[in-house]
């Protein structure tokens, strides 16, 4: 942590010294473009389901019941305090036939796509983005037409393994 702060300070000084002569040539690792300003979310036309997550790595709701094709608006709120790079949360609903362990293994190797593996997109029925502390996001979708149990989880490495998962029961 100290080391990081020092690096940040050094970079800041470097940028200040560079003045108006152009952008600093060194960019801090991981400092992607700033997050876009919050925009009103799209129309949330489904039945609202609110799930809270925090630094204890649990979903406040682990079982959702729905009718086939019922419209749902699942909102995940991250009420934790830990920075996103070490404690991000998302909500990902998977096809029932997915091998969850294999999905999670691939997800853990996909930090550049916020732990959503590009090759596994076809297995995802609905998802929120990866959320830092104080953020929330809503996934609006129709429940599957086929009754069954559809797993959901947080794909941030290690979180589903310690219990950050649940099931959508379509009946
Ligand atoms: Cu998580």
């Amino acid at each position: 942590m100290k080391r990081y702060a020092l690096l940040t300070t050094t970079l800041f000084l470097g940028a200040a010294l560079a003045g108006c002569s152009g952008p600093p040539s060194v960019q801090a690792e991981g400092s992607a473009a700033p997050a876009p300003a919050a925009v009103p979310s799209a129309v949330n036309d489904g039945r609202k389901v609110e799930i809270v997550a925090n630094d204890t790595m649990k979903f406040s709701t682990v079982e959702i019941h729905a009718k086939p094709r019922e419209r749902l608006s699942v909102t995940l709120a991250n009420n934790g305090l830990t920075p996103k790079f070490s404690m991000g949360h998302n909500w990902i609903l998977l096809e029932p036939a997915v091998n969850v362990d294999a999905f999670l293994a691939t997800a853990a190797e996909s930090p550049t796509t916020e732990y959503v593996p590009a090759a596994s997109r076809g297995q995802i029925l609905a998802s929120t983005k990866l959320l830092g502390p104080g953020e929330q996001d809503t996934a609006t979708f129709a429940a599957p037409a086929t009754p069954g149990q559809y797993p959901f989880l947080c794909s941030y490495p290690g979180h589903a393994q310690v219990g950050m998962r649940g099931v959508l029961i379509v009946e």
Side-chain angles (χ1 to χ4, degrees):
M1 215 50 188
K2 254 182 186 150
R3 199 184 178 86
Y4 179 76
L6 184 65
L7 178 66
T8 306
T9 308
T10 309
L11 287 171
F12 176 77
L13 283 174
L17 288 172
C20 299
S21 60
S25 55
V26 183
Q27 199 171 13
E29 199 176 326
S31 71
V39 291
S41 58
V43 180
N44 298 334
D45 60 348
R47 174 164 60 90
K48 288 178 172 32
V49 177
E50 295 187 354
I51 305 177
V52 177
N54 58 33
D55 296 343
T56 63
M57 292 176 281
K58 289 190 169 42
F59 286 134
S60 61
T61 297
V62 295
E63 200 172 294
I64 302 170
H65 292 260
K67 302 228 168 352
R69 296 196 179 85
E70 181 181 0
R71 298 284 301 172
L72 297 173
S73 276
V74 175
T75 297
L76 176 66
N78 180 356
N79 288 356
L81 298 171
T82 308
K84 183 177 175 181
F85 67 83
S86 58
M87 182 64 76
H89 299 304
N90 59 18
W91 182 87
I92 294 182
L93 178 67
L94 296 171
E95 291 276 8
V98 172
N99 179 328
V100 172
D101 290 338
F103 176 87
L104 289 171
T106 314
E109 293 166 0
S110 311
T112 56
T113 51
E114 299 203 315
Y115 306 106
V116 178
S120 304
R121 290 241 166 82
Q123 303 178 319
I124 297 173
L125 295 172
S127 63
T128 68
K129 61 186 181 180
L130 188 70
L131 305 170
E135 295 180 329
Q136 65 171 49
D137 190 29
T138 300
T140 298
F141 60 100
T146 308
Q149 303 213 349
Y150 297 77
F152 62 78
L153 50 80
C154 170
S155 69
Y156 191 95
H159 289 194
Q161 289 87 339
V162 298
M164 214 168 175
R165 58 205 295 173
V167 64
L168 168 69
I169 299 170
V170 178
E171 56 195 355

